Amino acid sequence: MAQWTSAVGAGQLARLLGSQQDRPAGPGTRRPPAYRALADGIRLLVLEGRVPVAARLPAERELALALTVSRTTVAAAYEALRAEGFLESRRGAGSWTAVPAGNPLPARGLEPLPPEALGSVIDLGCAALPAPEPWLTRAVQGALEELPPYAHTHGDYPAGLPALRTMIAERYTARGIPTMPEQIMVTTGAMGAIDAICHLFGGRGERIAVESPSYANILQLMREAGARLVPVAMAEGLAGWDVDRWRQVLREAAPRIAYVVADFHNPTGALADDDQRRRLVDAARAAGTVLVADETMSELRLDDDAERPRPVCAFDPAGSTVVTVGSASKAFWAGMRIGWVRAAPDVVRSLVAARAYADMGTPVLEQLAVNWLFSTGGWEQAVTVRRAQARQNRDELVVAVRRELPDWEFEVPRGGLTLWVRTGGLSGSRLAEAGERVGVRVPSGPRFGVDGAFEGYVRLPFTVGGAVAEEAAARLAAAARLVEKGGVGGGEAPRTFVA
């Protein structure tokens, strides 16, 4: 019986391999043999999760034709991968990807670093800060005081606690967007909100337009739901969206959904201005596309003089086009898994009805804690502290990276939690692997793209500062030297896997 569960075509594998970039070899640098370079490329794709484990690879002859190399080169690469535990084969069944014994399976997302590794590895993979205290403790205490009346009920609130729905609606109204509680559904984080929206509007095979680059975990969520992702390139630097390109894609591809992060975009940090927001909403309305606006970063404005555009939904007063997603996880704490959807009442009713077959509802105690923060002013106080912490981390990380890696290029965003860095021609995938060996965990650019894009980038979050930021930059520089010398790839696998 075959041991593979999916298949990768020769053309697809060739495109993925072609996306891997390396800095040109300098004088005296030895290039690996062609078979070794091919084996290393396939191994990196498996470790990155861009080629799944247990995926059947093309036959040797097919891949040789797609890559315009000899069949002998492909055969030798496959043999090297088998020897290292990254490939298994059976006569009549072909060859399929694997991972060596003792290596965790790639998760294809950005997961938190395991607790046992926190003392030895600097984690730049997770864009989240520690909880702001004392507000977390006070919020939980306040929630416990409010809990007794709810404890006498069934505890299932598929649309969310009425008090929290009302509070969220009032906050939108205060921002100049009249909102009723019936337009709000509370979810288990922003991921839960977007998952529900994708299942309601974007069935398997539906097109979803996404920014390129975009948030890695959302892209993977959409892939797992069977969506066909249509990437739309961002404007250069921090300029936000290329609205003309968006209009063309919406008109020609007619995607059912478009997913955007208008406020301090993850990963680039770009901020779309009012005109861009208005024009994109108009284009989505004309195309009949549901525009999902992710506001999870909207309150993380780090510079006081940064622009403050209106929310995307402000340009859709009827609520027929824009569905807004918010969350407490980025602005407050990732462990507070409370998100919400703002949409037309009929959309909210449909989302609530469909939820009965998923998670039934969001934990009551956490909803009460967020409601306490909103109603007491604790939210504003905590977010002020959070901004100051992220701002300081950003500034210290920027100084450290510029000192240690002067060839790396980036623009400093005015808000958010991430720095999008061009790595001077080095492969982001190989930097991520080399980082594991020197004790720094960093996600490579392709995680934030479609079909292997952004190999020459990494994302750095504003989660460390001071001496830790300096050490992180020094370790990244050491990883870069490893890649430049060809010290990554071949032979020994990484000691741990970065998801």
Side-chain angles (χ1 to χ4, degrees):
M1 179 179 177
Q3 301 297 306
W4 51 275
T5 58
S6 62
V8 180
Q12 179 187 6
L13 184 56
R15 287 192 299 273
L16 290 169
L17 289 166
S19 72
Q20 296 175 334
Q21 302 170 7
D22 277 310
R23 177 173 290 173
T29 302
R30 296 177 58 188
R31 287 189 176 276
Y35 85 89
R36 182 70 260 172
L38 176 55
D40 291 346
I42 294 174
R43 181 171 57 85
L44 277 172
L45 291 174
V46 173
L47 289 173
E48 279 278 297
R50 289 151 62 202
V51 169
V53 175
R56 187 179 188 275
L57 294 186
E60 294 170 3
R61 187 184 302 277
E62 293 175 357
L63 186 57
L65 287 172
L67 295 173
T68 62
V69 300
S70 71
R71 183 176 176 181
T72 302
T73 296
V74 177
Y78 279 13
E79 181 58 37
L81 290 168
R82 276 190 287 269
E84 296 162 10
F86 285 93
L87 196 70
E88 297 181 8
S89 304
R90 178 174 297 170
R91 186 179 297 277
S95 300
W96 56 91
T97 56
V99 292
N103 280 48
L105 289 177
R108 305 186 74 186
L110 301 178
E111 294 185 340
L113 191 69
E116 62 271 17
L118 289 175
S120 59
V121 178
I122 298 175
D123 186 9
L124 298 181
C126 189
L129 292 162
E133 288 288 21
W135 294 277
L136 174 62
T137 298
R138 291 176 180 172
V140 173
Q141 291 171 341
L144 287 171
E145 293 175 2
E146 298 292 331
L147 182 61
Y150 295 94
H152 295 292
T153 72
H154 48 66
D156 287 334
Y157 297 90
L161 293 184
L164 182 55
R165 295 176 72 195
T166 298
M167 182 61 65
I168 294 170
E170 289 176 354
R171 290 175 66 84
Y172 277 106
T173 300
R175 295 166 68 188
I177 309 153
T179 303
M180 303 179 294
E182 291 79 9
Q183 292 178 260
I184 302 296
M185 181 178 84
V186 180
T187 62
T188 308
M191 292 287 288
I194 293 169
D195 182 58
I197 293 165
C198 287
H199 279 89
L200 178 63
F201 291 108
R204 185 165 294 273
E206 290 279 5
R207 293 185 181 92
I208 299 180
V210 295
E211 297 152 325
S212 184
S214 187
Y215 179 37
N217 287 339
I218 293 296
L219 294 180
Q220 189 57 32
L221 181 155
M222 292 172 176
R223 291 187 189 102
E224 297 290 342
R228 298 163 59 190
L229 300 183
V230 182
V232 186
M234 297 285 289
E236 287 296 318
L238 300 177
W241 301 319
D242 184 335
V243 180
D244 291 336
R245 189 172 299 174
W246 267 102
R247 184 180 291 108
Q248 179 183 357
V249 168
L250 294 176
R251 182 176 61 250
E252 295 178 356
R256 187 72 182 91
I257 300 172
Y259 168 76
V260 297
V261 183
D263 301 284
F264 308 118
H265 175 261
N266 185 356
T268 69
L271 178 67
D273 61 30
D274 278 338
D275 183 61
Q276 289 172 321
R277 296 172 191 231
R278 180 185 297 105
R279 292 167 60 204
L280 184 57
V281 171
D282 290 344
R285 184 182 298 112
T289 297
V290 176
L291 185 62
V292 180
D294 185 335
E295 286 191 336
T296 53
M297 295 283 190
S298 64
E299 299 203 48
L300 291 173
R301 183 173 57 91
L302 304 186
D303 296 332
D304 292 338
D305 59 345
E307 185 182 1
R308 303 187 70 174
R310 300 176 66 195
V312 176
C313 58
F315 302 101
D316 180 42
S320 59
T321 298
V322 177
V323 175
T324 303
V325 172
S327 172
S329 298
K330 291 297 185 184
F332 186 76
W333 184 46
M336 188 69 77
R337 304 306 304 163
I338 298 295
W340 52 87
V341 173
R342 182 198 181 275
D346 61 318
V347 171
V348 168
R349 286 193 295 269
S350 296
L351 289 169
V352 171
R355 188 176 194 178
Y357 306 100
D359 64 355
M360 296 295 293
T362 302
V364 170
L365 189 63
E366 291 185 32
Q367 291 188 71
L368 289 172
V370 172
N371 193 59
W372 184 92
L373 288 166
F374 284 159
S375 61
T376 62
W379 177 268
E380 284 70 23
Q381 297 171 32
V383 171
T384 298
V385 172
R386 171 68 81 235
R387 288 180 185 134
Q389 183 180 11
R391 183 188 308 116
Q392 180 174 344
N393 286 355
R394 178 197 63 183
D395 295 345
E396 291 171 348
L397 182 66
V398 164
V399 169
V401 172
R402 282 178 170 163
R403 181 179 63 248
E404 298 288 342
L405 293 149
D407 291 339
W408 288 19
E409 302 172 19
F410 54 85
E411 292 190 42
V412 181
R414 311 296 301 276
L417 288 173
T418 57
L419 198 66
W420 185 236
V421 181
R422 182 181 283 121
T423 56
L426 297 180
S427 161
S429 298
R430 286 179 167 81
L431 279 166
E433 185 182 358
E436 278 292 303
R437 302 186 178 199
V438 299
V440 60
R441 180 176 184 257
V442 58
S444 65
R447 293 204 173 281
F448 304 89
V450 177
D451 291 335
F454 306 111
E455 184 62 60
Y457 289 80
V458 294
R459 188 195 73 172
L460 305 181
F462 310 144
T463 53
V464 296
V468 180
E470 293 177 3
E471 179 62 21
R475 295 186 187 186
L476 285 172
R481 288 192 292 272
L482 268 180
V483 175
E484 288 176 321
K485 294 176 181 177
V488 179
E492 181 183 352
R495 291 174 299 205
T496 57
F497 172 72
V498 175

